[in-house]
Structure formats: C-alpha cells, structure tokens
Amino acid sequence: MSEKTKQKIIDGARKSLIKEGHRLSTIKVIAGYAGVNHGLVHHYFGSKEDLMVALIESQAQQVLELLFSDNPDWLEDLSQKRRPKGLAKMKQRELAQFMSSRMDQFFSAYDDFAKIHIEFLAMSAEMPKVSKKLKEILRKHRKILGLIFNNSNPGFTTLLLASLTGILLHYRLDPKIAIKEARSLLREKLFDYQL
C-alpha cells in the first residue's frame, strides 16, 4: 500500500502544480488532489520540497520510459552510461529517423509539459533541493544525448536539449508557431550535422 500511496501523492502534486501553481500548492492542497489526508504527505515526504524532488524524478523517468518504450533495453544501457549496441549499428539515416520519431513522442508526451517545467524552474529559485535535482536530471539527459549521438562535446548536448525544450515551451505557449519548420531545422542543423 505504501508505494501506491506515495505514487498517489506524487500524482496529486503534479495535478496541483499544473492547476494551482507551486505557490498555491500547499501540502493540504496537494493532499486534496491526491485524495489523502495531509498527514500522509508529511509521513511519506516530510516536506513540500522533498515531494517536489520526488515529482521531478518521477516525471523525468516517465519521459525516458515513454521515449524508449520500443527499446527498454536501450534505456537500461543508457542509464548505465553505455551506448546501446543497436544504436551503434545504426547508419546515419536510421539514427536520424529514430531521433525524428523520438522528437514526435517528446512533443506529444504531455500537453502540460511546458507548464510543469515553468513551475519547476520557478521553484528552483526558492528551493535548493529542487534546483539540485533539476541540475542532476538535466546532466543525466545531456549524457544520454551524448551517448545516443556518440558525441562527448558538452556544447552539442547542451544546445540540443535546450533547443528541444525551448521549442516545446514556445509551442505550448503559442501553438501557432512554426513548429514543424523549427523541428525540421533542428534536425537538419544539429542532427544531420552531428551524424
């Protein structure tokens, strides 16, 4: 029951963050969204900040699992800082197609992706543990991108991750932007250049 309850609280925190924002998402409000007594939130997480750290970890894992749902063994290799053999065998065109399909999944993953990330960024200015966890997750994602592209240049992975995230944030704020053109240019200028 405890893991189920913890997940219920994390899901409630996510819903509250999206609907209320981080400032109005008190422990009591989060407990309401989770359908539990606020004492359970304190019991399992101790503080709102620790709950937000757990939410960040959960979100990051869910996105990775979604992106690698067709190749869960690749995710295991990447998590162990190994380049999957299947990726290593891919030719330039196949890798470009693989990344294109992953971009499609990334952009369709969550309608509220931009909102929750804006809230995470706002919290990071006020909550040191949240800031530390976000940095850790971003470093991990940059390392994964480096392994996928077999590129150890930190500038490349930083630019790639920032571009993907930035395009998604802009798209969620204004769905009328030239999203297809931006994604196409990103593939051409970053992906094809690198491959």
Side-chain angles (χ1 to χ4, degrees), residues 28-47:
K28 285 186 178 185
V29 170
I30 291 168
Y33 275 93
V36 300
N37 181 292
H38 73 276
L40 283 175
V41 179
H42 288 291
H43 173 74
Y44 285 110
F45 297 98
S47 69

Side-chain angles (χ1 to χ4, degrees), residues 1-12 44-45 51 54:
M1 172 84 169
S2 67
E3 283 306 310
K4 230 178 182 179
T5 303
K6 281 176 81 170
Q7 190 57 53
K8 198 173 178 181
I9 294 168
I10 289 171
D11 293 343
Y44 285 110
F45 297 98
L51 172 56

Side-chain angles (χ1 to χ4, degrees), residues 158-177:
T158 299
L159 183 58
L160 181 55
L161 185 57
S163 297
L164 287 168
T165 306
I167 290 170
L168 183 57
L169 287 172
H170 282 268
Y171 176 66
R172 293 300 180 215
L173 292 171
D174 181 7
K176 294 181 181 181
I177 66 168

